[in-house]
Amino acid sequence: MRRRIIPILTVSTLVIMLAGCASVPPPAPLPVSEVIRLSKEGDPPEQIIQRMRDAGMVYRLEASQLAHLHQQGVPDAVLNYMQHTYLEAVRRDQHLQDWNLWRPGPNGYFYGGCYYGWPYSCY
């Protein structure tokens, strides 16, 4: 009888732990106006970058917007990270687009793309 109690307690403990993890709200988005405000208040760049990472935001900014943010007092490290988020998003999307070249065949294998030795222009 003792053997049955321990697994039941373990499973119920696991269920309670998972329920607690599911109730954690996602971090709030960090808009550009908030980045400017945090920079003007003197928050360290590492702290601002960590909040951006936690929020999972992608910042698509033009050069003129980056220059404006620099004039507003946003540190260079934060501006570099903002550019980095967009570059990583483009790389991820390009990777997903590359998968569009491959199609499943009737036998379950994937076919597509250029054959070995073909020029890159066939893409």
Side-chain angles (χ1 to χ4, degrees):
M1 183 166 237
R2 196 171 176 189
R3 289 183 183 172
R4 291 184 181 193
I5 293 173
I6 293 173
I8 292 172
L9 290 176
T10 306
V11 170
S12 63
T13 305
L14 181 63
V15 169
I16 291 170
M17 287 175 28
L18 290 177
C21 292
S23 63
V24 175
L30 191 67
V32 175
S33 59
E34 184 75 9
V35 172
I36 294 171
R37 186 185 65 76
L38 291 172
S39 298
K40 287 184 177 181
E41 289 179 357
D43 285 6
E46 296 81 21
Q47 185 178 359
I48 298 172
I49 291 171
Q50 187 58 47
R51 286 191 59 189
M52 291 175 166
R53 258 190 213 116
D54 293 342
M57 298 278 297
V58 174
Y59 299 93
R60 182 180 180 186
L61 302 171
E62 296 178 1
S64 60
Q65 293 170 320
L66 289 169
H68 180 70
L69 290 174
H70 184 70
Q71 291 172 352
Q72 294 286 327
V74 177
D76 290 337
V78 174
L79 295 174
N80 290 339
Y81 181 75
M82 292 173 93
Q83 280 186 311
H84 179 74
T85 62
Y86 179 65
L87 293 174
E88 285 301 312
V90 168
R91 287 185 186 122
R92 273 194 312 272
D93 287 346
Q94 184 60 49
H95 176 71
L96 294 175
Q97 286 179 350
D98 291 344
W99 274 101
N100 289 337
L101 298 173
W102 297 86
R103 305 269 188 256
N107 57 0
Y109 293 105
F110 281 80
Y111 297 95
C114 296
Y115 294 104
Y116 178 74
W118 283 26
Y120 284 88
S121 62
C122 70
Y123 288 110

PDB file of all heavy atoms in Angstrom, residues 42-62:
ATOM      1  N   GLY A  42      17.740  57.150 -16.585  1.00  0.00           N
ATOM      2  CA  GLY A  42      19.072  56.708 -16.195  1.00  0.00           C
ATOM      3  C   GLY A  42      19.199  55.224 -15.911  1.00  0.00           C
ATOM      4  O   GLY A  42      20.172  54.801 -15.275  1.00  0.00           O
ATOM      5  N   ASP A  43      18.237  54.420 -16.368  1.00  0.00           N
ATOM      6  CA  ASP A  43      18.375  52.974 -16.197  1.00  0.00           C
ATOM      7  C   ASP A  43      19.587  52.484 -16.989  1.00  0.00           C
ATOM      8  O   ASP A  43      19.843  52.961 -18.099  1.00  0.00           O
ATOM      9  CB  ASP A  43      17.121  52.246 -16.690  1.00  0.00           C
ATOM     10  CG  ASP A  43      15.955  52.391 -15.733  1.00  0.00           C
ATOM     11  OD1 ASP A  43      16.088  53.147 -14.749  1.00  0.00           O
ATOM     12  OD2 ASP A  43      14.926  51.751 -15.963  1.00  0.00           O
ATOM     13  N   PRO A  44      20.343  51.532 -16.449  1.00  0.00           N
ATOM     14  CA  PRO A  44      21.510  51.028 -17.173  1.00  0.00           C
ATOM     15  C   PRO A  44      21.093  50.292 -18.453  1.00  0.00           C
ATOM     16  O   PRO A  44      20.019  49.669 -18.485  1.00  0.00           O
ATOM     17  CB  PRO A  44      22.180  50.075 -16.184  1.00  0.00           C
ATOM     18  CG  PRO A  44      21.245  49.895 -15.063  1.00  0.00           C
ATOM     19  CD  PRO A  44      20.204  50.939 -15.135  1.00  0.00           C
ATOM     20  N   PRO A  45      21.914  50.368 -19.496  1.00  0.00           N
ATOM     21  CA  PRO A  45      21.566  49.712 -20.767  1.00  0.00           C
ATOM     22  C   PRO A  45      21.309  48.214 -20.615  1.00  0.00           C
ATOM     23  O   PRO A  45      20.427  47.674 -21.271  1.00  0.00           O
ATOM     24  CB  PRO A  45      22.786  49.968 -21.653  1.00  0.00           C
ATOM     25  CG  PRO A  45      23.475  51.128 -21.056  1.00  0.00           C
ATOM     26  CD  PRO A  45      23.162  51.113 -19.601  1.00  0.00           C
ATOM     27  N   GLU A  46      22.052  47.553 -19.739  1.00  0.00           N
ATOM     28  CA  GLU A  46      21.880  46.105 -19.566  1.00  0.00           C
ATOM     29  C   GLU A  46      20.469  45.790 -19.063  1.00  0.00           C
ATOM     30  O   GLU A  46      19.868  44.800 -19.479  1.00  0.00           O
ATOM     31  CB  GLU A  46      22.913  45.545 -18.589  1.00  0.00           C
ATOM     32  CG  GLU A  46      24.349  45.673 -19.064  1.00  0.00           C
ATOM     33  CD  GLU A  46      24.938  47.055 -18.815  1.00  0.00           C
ATOM     34  OE1 GLU A  46      24.416  47.791 -17.950  1.00  0.00           O
ATOM     35  OE2 GLU A  46      25.894  47.405 -19.514  1.00  0.00           O
ATOM     36  N   GLN A  47      19.946  46.637 -18.184  1.00  0.00           N
ATOM     37  CA  GLN A  47      18.612  46.419 -17.639  1.00  0.00           C
ATOM     38  C   GLN A  47      17.541  46.641 -18.712  1.00  0.00           C
ATOM     39  O   GLN A  47      16.576  45.888 -18.798  1.00  0.00           O
ATOM     40  CB  GLN A  47      18.372  47.351 -16.454  1.00  0.00           C
ATOM     41  CG  GLN A  47      17.072  47.127 -15.745  1.00  0.00           C
ATOM     42  CD  GLN A  47      16.911  48.049 -14.554  1.00  0.00           C
ATOM     43  OE1 GLN A  47      17.786  48.855 -14.249  1.00  0.00           O
ATOM     44  NE2 GLN A  47      15.787  47.942 -13.878  1.00  0.00           N
ATOM     45  N   ILE A  48      17.725  47.654 -19.544  1.00  0.00           N
ATOM     46  CA  ILE A  48      16.776  47.924 -20.621  1.00  0.00           C
ATOM     47  C   ILE A  48      16.791  46.772 -21.630  1.00  0.00           C
ATOM     48  O   ILE A  48      15.741  46.296 -22.071  1.00  0.00           O
ATOM     49  CB  ILE A  48      17.103  49.267 -21.308  1.00  0.00           C
ATOM     50  CG1 ILE A  48      16.983  50.424 -20.313  1.00  0.00           C
ATOM     51  CG2 ILE A  48      16.187  49.498 -22.511  1.00  0.00           C
ATOM     52  CD1 ILE A  48      17.476  51.749 -20.838  1.00  0.00           C
ATOM     53  N   ILE A  49      17.984  46.308 -21.973  1.00  0.00           N
ATOM     54  CA  ILE A  49      18.116  45.199 -22.922  1.00  0.00           C
ATOM     55  C   ILE A  49      17.473  43.938 -22.361  1.00  0.00           C
ATOM     56  O   ILE A  49      16.799  43.194 -23.088  1.00  0.00           O
ATOM     57  CB  ILE A  49      19.592  44.979 -23.289  1.00  0.00           C
ATOM     58  CG1 ILE A  49      20.100  46.154 -24.131  1.00  0.00           C
ATOM     59  CG2 ILE A  49      19.787  43.664 -24.032  1.00  0.00           C
ATOM     60  CD1 ILE A  49      21.590  46.157 -24.370  1.00  0.00           C
ATOM     61  N   GLN A  50      17.638  43.691 -21.075  1.00  0.00           N
ATOM     62  CA  GLN A  50      17.025  42.506 -20.473  1.00  0.00           C
ATOM     63  C   GLN A  50      15.503  42.582 -20.540  1.00  0.00           C
ATOM     64  O   GLN A  50      14.837  41.588 -20.801  1.00  0.00           O
ATOM     65  CB  GLN A  50      17.490  42.332 -19.020  1.00  0.00           C
ATOM     66  CG  GLN A  50      17.029  41.042 -18.394  1.00  0.00           C
ATOM     67  CD  GLN A  50      17.498  39.824 -19.153  1.00  0.00           C
ATOM     68  OE1 GLN A  50      18.662  39.711 -19.516  1.00  0.00           O
ATOM     69  NE2 GLN A  50      16.587  38.897 -19.414  1.00  0.00           N
ATOM     70  N   ARG A  51      14.955  43.766 -20.321  1.00  0.00           N
ATOM     71  CA  ARG A  51      13.497  43.925 -20.428  1.00  0.00           C
ATOM     72  C   ARG A  51      13.033  43.702 -21.865  1.00  0.00           C
ATOM     73  O   ARG A  51      11.970  43.133 -22.098  1.00  0.00           O
ATOM     74  CB  ARG A  51      13.073  45.305 -19.949  1.00  0.00           C
ATOM     75  CG  ARG A  51      13.139  45.422 -18.426  1.00  0.00           C
ATOM     76  CD  ARG A  51      12.493  46.651 -17.901  1.00  0.00           C
ATOM     77  NE  ARG A  51      11.071  46.721 -18.269  1.00  0.00           N
ATOM     78  CZ  ARG A  51      10.334  47.797 -18.069  1.00  0.00           C
ATOM     79  NH1 ARG A  51      10.859  48.870 -17.523  1.00  0.00           N
ATOM     80  NH2 ARG A  51       9.064  47.810 -18.420  1.00  0.00           N
ATOM     81  N   MET A  52      13.846  44.134 -22.841  1.00  0.00           N
ATOM     82  CA  MET A  52      13.516  43.882 -24.248  1.00  0.00           C
ATOM     83  C   MET A  52      13.541  42.389 -24.546  1.00  0.00           C
ATOM     84  O   MET A  52      12.664  41.872 -25.234  1.00  0.00           O
ATOM     85  CB  MET A  52      14.509  44.605 -25.164  1.00  0.00           C
ATOM     86  CG  MET A  52      14.405  46.081 -25.170  1.00  0.00           C
ATOM     87  SD  MET A  52      15.752  46.725 -26.185  1.00  0.00           S
ATOM     88  CE  MET A  52      15.199  48.382 -26.411  1.00  0.00           C
ATOM     89  N   ARG A  53      14.566  41.714 -24.030  1.00  0.00           N
ATOM     90  CA  ARG A  53      14.671  40.262 -24.223  1.00  0.00           C
ATOM     91  C   ARG A  53      13.478  39.537 -23.625  1.00  0.00           C
ATOM     92  O   ARG A  53      12.921  38.627 -24.231  1.00  0.00           O
ATOM     93  CB  ARG A  53      15.945  39.742 -23.552  1.00  0.00           C
ATOM     94  CG  ARG A  53      17.032  39.477 -24.502  1.00  0.00           C
ATOM     95  CD  ARG A  53      18.192  38.737 -23.853  1.00  0.00           C
ATOM     96  NE  ARG A  53      19.378  39.205 -24.526  1.00  0.00           N
ATOM     97  CZ  ARG A  53      20.348  39.871 -23.973  1.00  0.00           C
ATOM     98  NH1 ARG A  53      20.359  40.111 -22.687  1.00  0.00           N
ATOM     99  NH2 ARG A  53      21.377  40.281 -24.681  1.00  0.00           N
ATOM    100  N   ASP A  54      13.113  39.935 -22.414  1.00  0.00           N
ATOM    101  CA  ASP A  54      11.989  39.294 -21.731  1.00  0.00           C
ATOM    102  C   ASP A  54      10.682  39.494 -22.501  1.00  0.00           C
ATOM    103  O   ASP A  54       9.841  38.600 -22.549  1.00  0.00           O
ATOM    104  CB  ASP A  54      11.843  39.831 -20.310  1.00  0.00           C
ATOM    105  CG  ASP A  54      13.006  39.432 -19.417  1.00  0.00           C
ATOM    106  OD1 ASP A  54      13.745  38.490 -19.770  1.00  0.00           O
ATOM    107  OD2 ASP A  54      13.181  40.084 -18.358  1.00  0.00           O
ATOM    108  N   ALA A  55      10.519  40.680 -23.082  1.00  0.00           N
ATOM    109  CA  ALA A  55       9.286  40.981 -23.821  1.00  0.00           C
ATOM    110  C   ALA A  55       9.262  40.291 -25.179  1.00  0.00           C
ATOM    111  O   ALA A  55       8.189  40.060 -25.734  1.00  0.00           O
ATOM    112  CB  ALA A  55       9.134  42.487 -23.996  1.00  0.00           C
ATOM    113  N   GLY A  56      10.428  39.953 -25.730  1.00  0.00           N
ATOM    114  CA  GLY A  56      10.480  39.293 -27.026  1.00  0.00           C
ATOM    115  C   GLY A  56      10.084  40.189 -28.184  1.00  0.00           C
ATOM    116  O   GLY A  56       9.578  39.721 -29.198  1.00  0.00           O
ATOM    117  N   MET A  57      10.325  41.474 -28.044  1.00  0.00           N
ATOM    118  CA  MET A  57       9.944  42.431 -29.079  1.00  0.00           C
ATOM    119  C   MET A  57      10.948  42.417 -30.234  1.00  0.00           C
ATOM    120  O   MET A  57      12.120  42.130 -30.043  1.00  0.00           O
ATOM    121  CB  MET A  57       9.892  43.848 -28.507  1.00  0.00           C
ATOM    122  CG  MET A  57       8.880  44.060 -27.412  1.00  0.00           C
ATOM    123  SD  MET A  57       7.237  44.345 -28.014  1.00  0.00           S
ATOM    124  CE  MET A  57       7.418  45.850 -28.918  1.00  0.00           C
ATOM    125  N   VAL A  58      10.452  42.756 -31.422  1.00  0.00           N
ATOM    126  CA  VAL A  58      11.295  42.970 -32.601  1.00  0.00           C
ATOM    127  C   VAL A  58      11.109  44.420 -32.993  1.00  0.00           C
ATOM    128  O   VAL A  58       9.985  44.888 -33.176  1.00  0.00           O
ATOM    129  CB  VAL A  58      10.897  42.034 -33.760  1.00  0.00           C
ATOM    130  CG1 VAL A  58      11.679  42.374 -35.012  1.00  0.00           C
ATOM    131  CG2 VAL A  58      11.104  40.589 -33.368  1.00  0.00           C
ATOM    132  N   TYR A  59      12.212  45.141 -33.113  1.00  0.00           N
ATOM    133  CA  TYR A  59      12.173  46.576 -33.427  1.00  0.00           C
ATOM    134  C   TYR A  59      12.666  46.777 -34.845  1.00  0.00           C
ATOM    135  O   TYR A  59      13.840  46.589 -35.140  1.00  0.00           O
ATOM    136  CB  TYR A  59      13.046  47.350 -32.442  1.00  0.00           C
ATOM    137  CG  TYR A  59      12.577  47.213 -31.010  1.00  0.00           C
ATOM    138  CD1 TYR A  59      13.098  46.226 -30.181  1.00  0.00           C
ATOM    139  CD2 TYR A  59      11.613  48.056 -30.491  1.00  0.00           C
ATOM    140  CE1 TYR A  59      12.665  46.097 -28.875  1.00  0.00           C
ATOM    141  CE2 TYR A  59      11.170  47.930 -29.189  1.00  0.00           C
ATOM    142  CZ  TYR A  59      11.705  46.943 -28.387  1.00  0.00           C
ATOM    143  OH  TYR A  59      11.276  46.810 -27.100  1.00  0.00           O
ATOM    144  N   ARG A  60      11.757  47.166 -35.728  1.00  0.00           N
ATOM    145  CA  ARG A  60      12.106  47.456 -37.120  1.00  0.00           C
ATOM    146  C   ARG A  60      12.193  48.969 -37.254  1.00  0.00           C
ATOM    147  O   ARG A  60      11.169  49.656 -37.386  1.00  0.00           O
ATOM    148  CB  ARG A  60      11.051  46.885 -38.053  1.00  0.00           C
ATOM    149  CG  ARG A  60      11.382  47.098 -39.493  1.00  0.00           C
ATOM    150  CD  ARG A  60      10.320  46.512 -40.369  1.00  0.00           C
ATOM    151  NE  ARG A  60      10.668  46.742 -41.761  1.00  0.00           N
ATOM    152  CZ  ARG A  60       9.903  46.448 -42.766  1.00  0.00           C
ATOM    153  NH1 ARG A  60       8.739  45.896 -42.562  1.00  0.00           N
ATOM    154  NH2 ARG A  60      10.285  46.696 -43.989  1.00  0.00           N
ATOM    155  N   LEU A  61      13.409  49.479 -37.199  1.00  0.00           N
ATOM    156  CA  LEU A  61      13.616  50.928 -37.199  1.00  0.00           C
ATOM    157  C   LEU A  61      14.482  51.330 -38.385  1.00  0.00           C
ATOM    158  O   LEU A  61      15.432  50.636 -38.751  1.00  0.00           O
ATOM    159  CB  LEU A  61      14.298  51.360 -35.899  1.00  0.00           C
ATOM    160  CG  LEU A  61      13.554  51.012 -34.612  1.00  0.00           C
ATOM    161  CD1 LEU A  61      14.422  51.295 -33.412  1.00  0.00           C
ATOM    162  CD2 LEU A  61      12.254  51.778 -34.533  1.00  0.00           C
ATOM    163  N   GLU A  62      14.158  52.471 -38.953  1.00  0.00           N
ATOM    164  CA  GLU A  62      14.968  53.035 -40.029  1.00  0.00           C
ATOM    165  C   GLU A  62      16.121  53.821 -39.435  1.00  0.00           C
ATOM    166  O   GLU A  62      16.135  54.132 -38.241  1.00  0.00           O
ATOM    167  CB  GLU A  62      14.102  53.936 -40.908  1.00  0.00           C
ATOM    168  CG  GLU A  62      12.995  53.186 -41.617  1.00  0.00           C
ATOM    169  CD  GLU A  62      12.119  54.094 -42.445  1.00  0.00           C
ATOM    170  OE1 GLU A  62      12.370  55.320 -42.488  1.00  0.00           O
ATOM    171  OE2 GLU A  62      11.163  53.585 -43.039  1.00  0.00           O
TER     172      GLU A  62
END
